[in-house]
Amino acid sequence: MRAAQFFISTLKEAPAEAELPSHKLMLRAGLIKRLASGLYSWMPMGLRVLRKVEAVVREEMNRAGSVELLMPSVQPAELWQESGRWEFYGKELLRMKDRHDRDFCYGPTHEEVVTDIVRKEINSYKQLPKNFFQVQTKFRDEVRPRFGVMRAREFVMKDAYSFHTDFDSLVETYNGMYQAYCNVFNRLGLKFRAVAADTGSIGGTGSHEFQVLADSGEDLIAYCPDSDYAANIELAEALAPAAPRAAATAAMQTVVTPNVKTIAQLVDFLKVDIRQTVKAVVVESDTDEPVLMMVRGDHELNEVKAEKIAGIKKPLTMATPAAIRDAFGAQPGSLGPVGFKGRVIADRTVAAMADMVVGANRDDEHLTGVNFGRDCAEAEVADIRNVVAGDPSPCGKGTLALCRGIEVGHVFQLRTKYAEPLSCNYLDRDGKLKPMEMGCYGIGVSRIVGAAIEQGHDERGIVFTDAMAPFTVVIVPMGYGRSELVRAAADKLHDELAALGIDVLLDDRDERPGVLLADSELLGIPHRVVIGERGLADGKVEYQGRRDASATAIDVAQIAAHLRASIAC
Amino acid sequence: MRAAQFFISTLKEAPAEAELPSHKLMLRAGLIKRLASGLYSWMPMGLRVLRKVEAVVREEMNRAGSVELLMPSVQPAELWQESGRWEFYGKELLRMKDRHDRDFCYGPTHEEVVTDIVRKEINSYKQLPKNFFQVQTKFRDEVRPRFGVMRAREFVMKDAYSFHTDFDSLVETYNGMYQAYCNVFNRLGLKFRAVAADTGSIGGTGSHEFQVLADSGEDLIAYCPDSDYAANIELAEALAPAAPRAAATAAMQTVVTPNVKTIAQLVDFLKVDIRQTVKAVVVESDTDEPVLMMVRGDHELNEVKAEKIAGIKKPLTMATPAAIRDAFGAQPGSLGPVGFKGRVIADRTVAAMADMVVGANRDDEHLTGVNFGRDCAEAEVADIRNVVAGDPSPCGKGTLALCRGIEVGHVFQLRTKYAEPLSCNYLDRDGKLKPMEMGCYGIGVSRIVGAAIEQGHDERGIVFTDAMAPFTVVIVPMGYGRSELVRAAADKLHDELAALGIDVLLDDRDERPGVLLADSELLGIPHRVVIGERGLADGKVEYQGRRDASATAIDVAQIAAHLRASIAC
């Protein structure tokens, strides 16, 4: 492709609206153009990237045995009423009325439509399992669209749905799709983690999120660098310390701690190691009795874990100051287990502590040298804290690290969540009508582009992998318009690479060399060949990979072979 | 592809909703599935066809120098208000409000959005011309959606838009796109005509429609079988007869014609040749004077042509009975030029008639032997009739034939219709700001599938061309599940063809041979190989093209080469 026949439109500065690096760079590089809040046009340069992602996703879906179809984007309300989501989905669902005043929505997802197709098309166990996918434009009317294509309202998604006679079959397909997703992100050259996840509003059981690692990610992930263990912080298990509880060495003593309300103040005031202190949180229970939860001073209570404990009120609710005073005789800031007659739950780490510093259950007083069994009863023990970096990994193979991620894929075991309300049944071998087991599998195709740039960029612009770059090679001629020699060499190399099936851009625009070089870096094109008269005089051109610190002179005769060898396939 | 890993779902009978052959066959063959009125899912088999059309369109657009982008389907009302179409477009525009109560629509077309992009991106004559296209899902809220994908509400369209400094540049791109459209329809193997067309509601000047020829088409087309001349019936020119007017041979006579109101009754009553009679139509003018228009008895007035004549009221309006009696002294049924003092316009054919039979301007009386110049003044002469089959073609190369067509493409010269209201201007060489000239070019990608089936089907099902078929070759094994021999031969041929890059379907479903054979014909797969034990014993398989009356035995060793040679590339 020649730039003059294409459309390159770069900007020196990103519009003020953009916050994230990827959003700024996509606007500056002219990959996208804003139409309205959360609505972007994919400009020619950006569309090439989007299509490359789409092609990889499609290939891996085909390989995984999913069959492609295309459902309408506009969906009748009746199906959503059948599933119960017409009410449930809220304002994210873009609703509309047609000319006959009938209700429709712009599909944000297609469980209802695909289930409607399957209940009409499939009625016997002999036709199962089946797995369908589509690549489609979807719409979610986000409260606050932002980050460009990463949280746009209109976006491109690959969504797949599988149908099964039983759970074992669902798990088999789920595992196949999980592997296909790993293949997609590996092929695109992305650093990612598949993390165990809650199923959230879509319901069902069993789910993994695929997170592209990036500092700006909205999700916090715990992972083991020495294995493939990864989980959202909400789900990552904090193991009990390996060492047993040490013996008590100090007597329990009361210390007056005026105006000390926080762990930080306590540590500062008493000059103790924060790891000797205990944080007390009082929550409501299913009965009216408040429950004391204890985590080490430097740890955080994990509300998702705490809420799952039997007898604890859901959603997790903090006890009121009045209830706390009634039960403990003190205000928050001076609470502890000593003398408290109610239920006490200690985090696994706390359960292994000796000589603890805790609240005295008297305002402005704390106790030091507190030990379970001696000064207060042994507590119930549970994992109720967030993991921290350095915790032993639940996989047993090292210690956990934390990072941020951008969710680009999600696989769910929906079970019969949709099949039951929509009566998507099949006749089993035994002649009985049963609801189908169902899985669903989504990839944010357009979001991947943003996430990849979030992961791959530097101060000069985007750094695309070979698999995602709009062009794999850019030829930058120094003086295409004024040097016959340069023009002939550039044209020849362009045609040679194109004939090899390499996506090559010849930047024949009538711009200063500095502009062409800067644009090639801003656009993130992985391989660059600069052709100038001086080099040609010695039979050389300059090759530079996008991540290389400097250029290398290569023989003109060798450059095509050099590029071929450099490009990842 | 193996059928067991794909999804085939055929029906014996089409649902009652379907009227046209293509709609019935698409439902029966399982290419599409209805979701709601005018909303269809493209099932796996149908999507393969749609994607093949899309790929050909994309290739030809790229070849024509159009650059692909992708604009949002949801568009803000503000842009449509700027162009004036928010009011004008009516109920076909699906409107919606987002969560912040702002107005949007689901784009039925993208002139506004692309013009907004171009006015922001392009400001100099140096950047022009530019030509952009996209392949996208669009929505038109049709009053009465019908004919399946041919008049669906949600559909896939390729729309392109070009921008220019001047009209010459527009015409050059227009001609290039016209040629690209011919390439698309030729490559798809469709019989089509490019016909001169009115620009209709989209406005502008200069337009051609691309019509796929089919008996069920909604549009009537006149074309010359001996050239590429074609025009919508509204625009096709009726030439003057080659022979000059004959001399008068009869005297004018009054005949009493009681209750004769129509040409058919007149011919029947007087036993004259219909080609001697003249039909009189009285229309309103810009002044209050009625105008008499005359076409030969067997011809039809063309209202589009009649309305274009200077002084005639637009839209064309028939004179009231009272006005006619005032001006002619008689009722419709007995009107004619003799004695009428007002404006008379004769069709070119009428102007060359002698010894005419016309109304006498007295109720229940006609005149025979009427001649211009002798019995009444010479009339104004104009082309005001529809052409009929056998008329000389305006191209001068033969006679016209009539046929019906389905519009699948349309190219327009929009000129500055959108550039002016949206201020899409450029700075010209002379330093002046000027509005851009603009063209737009649409292809109904999903409609093409219906139109192709309308053109290609027989009593057994669809007849796809090689270019559009979901699979080019189907292998039908007789007893895949019970004969090792058949299975091995079928598997081998499947793998061999797949390795050659041929789209092959191995129908390994556990169904009776009759079902497999019938499905292969219903699906319209162009090339079929039947493999059975009896044939294999002689080293033969049976080949049959979808249009062939019978099968041919081919050596197993030769079948792949035979298919390769049979498939159009």
Side-chain angles (χ1 to χ4, degrees):
Chain A
M1 179 70 75
R2 287 154 187 280
Q5 286 158 16
F6 194 63
F7 187 75
I8 298 179
S9 176
T10 55
L11 298 172
K12 283 239 167 54
E13 300 290 334
E17 83 204 56
E19 300 165 50
L20 289 192
S22 64
H23 189 192
K24 287 181 187 167
L25 288 170
M26 288 185 78
L27 290 170
R28 280 191 54 207
L31 303 189
I32 55 171
K33 183 107 194 148
R34 185 181 184 273
L35 173 62
S37 172
L39 299 178
Y40 291 88
S41 295
W42 286 86
M43 297 300 286
M45 192 67 77
L47 186 62
R48 289 182 70 95
V49 182
L50 187 70
R51 295 281 194 232
K52 292 203 174 181
V53 174
E54 189 182 322
V56 169
V57 169
R58 178 170 285 119
E59 279 175 32
E60 292 300 331
M61 286 301 102
N62 285 329
R63 193 171 302 176
S66 195
V67 182
E68 189 170 4
L69 46 59
L70 181 63
M71 296 176 268
S73 66
V74 173
Q75 308 181 6
E78 288 75 10
L79 280 179
W80 286 71
Q81 285 154 355
E82 255 189 276
S83 73
R85 289 209 290 184
W86 187 254
E87 301 307 321
F88 180 77
Y89 215 95
K91 288 195 163 183
E92 255 187 37
L93 189 64
L94 182 66
R95 295 155 210 254
M96 57 198 84
K97 284 180 184 291
D98 76 356
R99 67 191 299 150
H100 303 297
D101 219 35
R102 284 185 297 241
D103 286 310
F104 289 85
C105 66
Y106 197 128
T109 174
H110 277 67
E111 282 84 4
E112 283 82 359
V113 177
V114 76
T115 304
D116 179 60
I117 290 174
V118 168
R119 70 181 173 183
K120 288 170 178 164
E121 290 284 349
I122 293 179
N123 44 49
S124 161
Y125 71 93
K126 290 181 194 164
Q127 298 166 278
L128 292 171
K130 276 289 170 236
N131 183 350
F132 296 108
F133 81 98
Q134 62 177 353
V135 179
Q136 197 189 36
T137 300
K138 303 207 184 292
F139 200 97
R140 281 186 198 154
D141 200 358
E142 300 272 356
V143 193
R144 198 158 80 85
R146 59 203 155 133
F147 307 151
V149 298
M150 289 229 278
R151 194 168 286 279
R153 296 199 287 177
E154 188 169 323
F155 57 98
V156 178
M157 187 169 164
K158 187 286 301 173
D159 45 330
Y161 307 90
S162 69
F163 295 84
H164 311 269
T165 54
D166 54 44
F167 184 58
D168 285 352
S169 168
L170 166 57
V171 169
E172 192 184 332
T173 295
Y174 182 89
N175 291 340
M177 294 296 272
Y178 180 103
Q179 186 55 51
Y181 275 39
C182 292
N183 297 347
V184 165
F185 301 118
N186 279 325
R187 283 182 60 186
L188 294 176
L190 296 172
K191 286 190 282 290
F192 74 99
R193 291 275 161 176
V195 304
D198 250 355
T199 52
S201 71
I202 207 153
T205 58
S207 155
H208 284 87
E209 287 173 4
F210 289 79
Q211 299 266 3
V212 165
L213 307 186
D215 294 338
S216 60
E218 293 185 280
D219 297 315
L220 192 59
I221 303 162
Y223 70 98
C224 176
D226 302 315
S227 79
D228 62 358
Y229 174 82
N232 270 346
I233 195 77
E234 288 76 16
L235 293 190
E237 186 181 1
L239 299 181
R245 185 193 295 163
T249 61
M252 182 170 79
Q253 287 195 317
T254 300
V255 286
V256 178
T257 51
N259 297 318
V260 168
K261 298 290 175 199
T262 66
I263 293 290
Q265 290 166 340
L266 182 65
V267 165
D268 191 48
F269 187 84
L270 293 184
K271 311 293 180 207
V272 293
D273 187 336
I274 192 169
R275 286 171 295 179
Q276 285 304 115
T277 67
V278 171
K279 200 181 279 178
V281 179
V282 185
V283 302
E284 295 186 5
S285 66
D286 289 340
T287 63
D288 276 346
E289 299 301 316
V291 175
L292 173 64
M293 292 189 167
M294 299 195 294
V295 296
R296 203 170 69 182
D298 56 333
H299 288 158
E300 294 293 331
L301 182 75
N302 180 312
E303 300 197 1
V304 172
K305 293 177 182 175
E307 179 180 293
K308 285 183 183 159
I309 294 173
I312 301 301
K313 188 166 173 184
K314 293 157 202 31
L316 194 74
T317 309
M318 297 300 140
T320 63
I324 290 173
R325 177 156 295 281
D326 277 358
F328 291 84
Q331 286 178 339
S334 293
L335 306 180
V338 179
F340 174 59
K341 302 291 177 216
R343 185 176 176 192
V344 177
I345 301 173
D347 179 63
R348 288 169 171 172
T349 307
V350 170
M353 287 169 74
D355 301 336
M356 300 178 286
V357 178
V358 300
N361 291 332
R362 290 183 300 276
D363 288 343
D364 295 331
E365 290 186 16
H366 280 75
L367 299 173
T368 61
V370 173
N371 285 278
F372 286 114
R374 187 188 75 181
D375 307 317
C376 60
E378 292 288 346
E380 257 181 84
V381 181
D383 172 19
I384 55 171
R385 68 168 173 96
N386 287 336
V387 294
V388 295
D391 276 342
S393 172
C395 67
K397 289 184 188 145
T399 55
L400 290 178
L402 295 185
C403 64
R404 297 208 153 259
I406 299 164
E407 186 193 334
V408 290
H410 208 152
V411 291
F412 292 100
Q413 293 168 14
L414 288 170
R415 308 295 308 263
T416 58
K417 179 181 161 72
Y418 292 94
E420 293 204 29
L422 288 162
S423 303
C424 182
N425 301 318
Y426 72 97
L427 209 57
D428 205 356
R429 208 176 289 268
D430 59 12
K432 289 196 179 131
L433 212 57
K434 297 176 185 169
M436 296 184 202
E437 291 272 352
M438 188 173 165
C440 76
Y441 318 89
I443 288 184
V445 175
S446 44
R447 177 181 280 192
I448 283 177
V449 180
I453 296 172
E454 211 52 55
Q455 190 174 83
H457 68 268
D458 61 17
E459 68 293 344
R460 291 173 293 156
I462 300 169
V463 181
F464 275 124
T465 60
D466 288 359
M468 285 183 64
F471 295 95
T472 319
V473 175
V474 58
I475 301 170
V476 181
M478 300 282 106
Y480 187 81
R482 51 178 169 70
S483 163
E484 266 305 323
L485 208 63
V486 167
R487 174 192 289 258
D491 287 350
K492 182 162 177 285
L493 181 59
H494 170 272
D495 296 350
E496 204 173 341
L497 296 177
L500 287 171
I502 294 173
D503 268 338
V504 57
L505 176 71
L506 168 55
D507 200 345
D508 56 357
R509 289 178 296 160
D510 183 20
E511 298 278 1
R512 287 180 298 108
V515 170
L516 302 185
L517 293 171
D519 274 0
S520 76
E521 293 176 343
L522 175 58
L523 290 168
I525 301 179
H527 307 275
R528 182 173 73 190
V529 179
V530 176
I531 301 182
E533 279 193 337
R534 191 177 306 182
L536 287 176
D538 299 332
K540 302 279 187 188
V541 296
E542 293 203 330
Y543 167 80
Q544 186 169 2
R546 179 63 180 80
R547 288 185 188 278
D548 297 347
S550 60
T552 312
I554 308 270
D555 278 356
V556 173
Q558 296 302 318
I559 184 65
H562 180 82
L563 286 166
R564 239 178 138 171
S566 306
I567 294 167
C569 9
Chain B
M1 179 70 76
R2 288 154 185 279
Q5 286 158 15
F6 194 63
F7 187 76
I8 298 179
S9 176
T10 55
L11 297 172
K12 284 237 166 55
E13 301 289 335
E17 81 202 56
E19 300 165 47
L20 288 191
S22 62
H23 189 191
K24 287 181 186 166
L25 288 170
M26 289 185 76
L27 289 169
R28 279 191 55 209
L31 303 190
I32 55 171
K33 183 107 196 147
R34 184 180 184 275
L35 172 62
S37 172
L39 299 178
Y40 292 88
S41 294
W42 287 86
M43 298 298 287
M45 192 67 79
L47 186 61
R48 290 182 70 95
V49 182
L50 186 70
R51 295 280 193 232
K52 292 203 175 183
V53 175
E54 189 182 321
V56 169
V57 170
R58 177 170 286 117
E59 278 175 32
E60 293 299 331
M61 286 302 102
N62 285 330
R63 193 170 303 176
S66 195
V67 181
E68 190 170 3
L69 45 59
L70 181 63
M71 295 175 268
S73 66
V74 173
Q75 307 181 5
E78 288 75 13
L79 280 179
W80 286 70
Q81 285 154 354
E82 255 189 275
S83 74
R85 289 209 292 184
W86 187 254
E87 300 307 321
F88 180 79
Y89 215 94
K91 288 196 163 184
E92 255 187 37
L93 189 64
L94 182 66
R95 294 155 211 254
M96 57 198 83
K97 284 180 185 292
D98 75 357
R99 67 191 298 151
H100 303 297
D101 219 36
R102 286 184 295 240
D103 286 310
F104 289 86
C105 65
Y106 196 128
T109 175
H110 276 68
E111 282 82 5
E112 283 83 356
V113 177
V114 75
T115 304
D116 179 58
I117 290 174
V118 168
R119 71 181 171 180
K120 289 171 177 164
E121 289 283 350
I122 293 178
N123 44 48
S124 161
Y125 72 94
K126 290 183 194 164
Q127 296 166 281
L128 293 171
K130 275 286 170 239
N131 183 352
F132 295 107
F133 80 99
Q134 61 177 353
V135 179
Q136 197 188 38
T137 300
K138 303 206 184 289
F139 200 98
R140 282 186 196 154
D141 200 359
E142 300 272 357
V143 193
R144 199 157 80 83
R146 58 200 154 137
F147 307 152
V149 298
M150 289 228 279
R151 196 169 284 279
R153 296 200 285 176
E154 187 170 324
F155 57 98
V156 179
M157 186 168 164
K158 186 287 301 174
D159 46 329
Y161 307 91
S162 69
F163 295 84
H164 311 267
T165 53
D166 54 45
F167 184 59
D168 286 352
S169 168
L170 166 57
V171 169
E172 191 185 331
T173 294
Y174 182 90
N175 291 341
M177 294 296 273
Y178 180 104
Q179 187 53 51
Y181 276 40
C182 293
N183 297 347
V184 166
F185 301 118
N186 280 324
R187 282 182 61 185
L188 294 175
L190 297 171
K191 287 191 280 291
F192 74 98
R193 291 275 162 177
V195 304
D198 251 355
T199 52
S201 71
I202 206 152
T205 57
S207 156
H208 284 86
E209 287 172 4
F210 289 80
Q211 299 267 3
V212 165
L213 306 186
D215 294 340
S216 59
E218 293 185 281
D219 296 315
L220 193 59
I221 303 161
Y223 69 98
C224 175
D226 303 315
S227 79
D228 63 358
Y229 174 82
N232 269 348
I233 196 78
E234 288 78 14
L235 292 190
E237 185 180 4
L239 299 181
R245 186 193 294 163
T249 62
M252 182 168 78
Q253 288 195 316
T254 299
V255 287
V256 177
T257 51
N259 296 321
V260 168
K261 299 287 176 200
T262 67
I263 293 290
Q265 291 165 340
L266 183 66
V267 165
D268 191 49
F269 186 84
L270 293 184
K271 311 292 179 208
V272 291
D273 186 336
I274 193 169
R275 287 171 296 178
Q276 285 303 115
T277 66
V278 171
K279 201 181 282 178
V281 179
V282 185
V283 302
E284 296 187 4
S285 66
D286 289 340
T287 63
D288 276 347
E289 299 300 317
V291 175
L292 174 64
M293 292 190 166
M294 299 196 296
V295 295
R296 203 169 71 180
D298 56 334
H299 288 158
E300 295 294 333
L301 182 75
N302 180 310
E303 301 197 2
V304 172
K305 293 177 182 176
E307 181 181 292
K308 285 184 182 158
I309 293 173
I312 302 300
K313 188 166 172 184
K314 291 156 206 25
L316 194 74
T317 309
M318 298 300 141
T320 62
I324 290 172
R325 177 157 294 282
D326 277 358
F328 291 85
Q331 287 177 341
S334 293
L335 306 180
V338 178
F340 174 60
K341 302 290 179 216
R343 185 177 175 190
V344 178
I345 301 172
D347 178 65
R348 288 167 171 174
T349 307
V350 172
M353 287 170 73
D355 301 336
M356 300 178 285
V357 180
V358 300
N361 293 332
R362 292 182 299 276
D363 288 343
D364 295 330
E365 288 186 17
H366 279 77
L367 300 172
T368 62
V370 173
N371 286 276
F372 286 114
R374 187 188 75 182
D375 308 317
C376 60
E378 291 288 348
E380 257 180 82
V381 181
D383 172 19
I384 55 171
R385 69 168 172 96
N386 287 336
V387 295
V388 294
D391 275 343
S393 172
C395 66
K397 290 187 186 141
T399 56
L400 290 177
L402 295 185
C403 65
R404 297 208 153 262
I406 299 164
E407 186 194 334
V408 290
H410 208 150
V411 291
F412 292 101
Q413 292 168 14
L414 289 170
R415 309 295 309 262
T416 58
K417 179 180 160 72
Y418 293 93
E420 292 204 29
L422 288 162
S423 303
C424 182
N425 301 318
Y426 71 98
L427 209 57
D428 205 355
R429 210 177 289 268
D430 58 12
K432 287 192 181 137
L433 213 57
K434 296 175 185 169
M436 296 184 203
E437 292 272 351
M438 188 173 164
C440 75
Y441 318 90
I443 287 184
V445 175
S446 45
R447 177 181 278 191
I448 283 177
V449 179
I453 296 173
E454 212 51 55
Q455 189 174 83
H457 68 270
D458 61 19
E459 67 293 345
R460 293 173 293 156
I462 299 168
V463 181
F464 275 123
T465 60
D466 288 359
M468 284 183 64
F471 295 96
T472 320
V473 175
V474 59
I475 301 171
V476 180
M478 300 282 106
Y480 187 82
R482 50 178 169 70
S483 163
E484 267 305 322
L485 209 62
V486 167
R487 175 193 288 258
D491 286 350
K492 183 162 177 287
L493 181 59
H494 170 272
D495 295 349
E496 204 173 341
L497 296 177
L500 288 170
I502 293 172
D503 267 338
V504 57
L505 177 71
L506 167 55
D507 200 345
D508 56 356
R509 289 178 296 159
D510 182 21
E511 297 278 1
R512 286 180 299 107
V515 170
L516 301 185
L517 293 171
D519 275 0
S520 76
E521 292 176 342
L522 174 58
L523 291 168
I525 300 178
H527 306 275
R528 182 173 74 190
V529 180
V530 176
I531 300 181
E533 278 194 338
R534 191 175 306 182
L536 287 176
D538 299 332
K540 303 278 188 189
V541 295
E542 292 203 331
Y543 168 79
Q544 187 168 0
R546 179 63 181 81
R547 289 184 187 276
D548 297 346
S550 60
T552 312
I554 307 272
D555 278 355
V556 172
Q558 296 302 317
I559 184 65
H562 180 82
L563 286 166
R564 239 179 137 171
S566 306
I567 294 167
C569 11

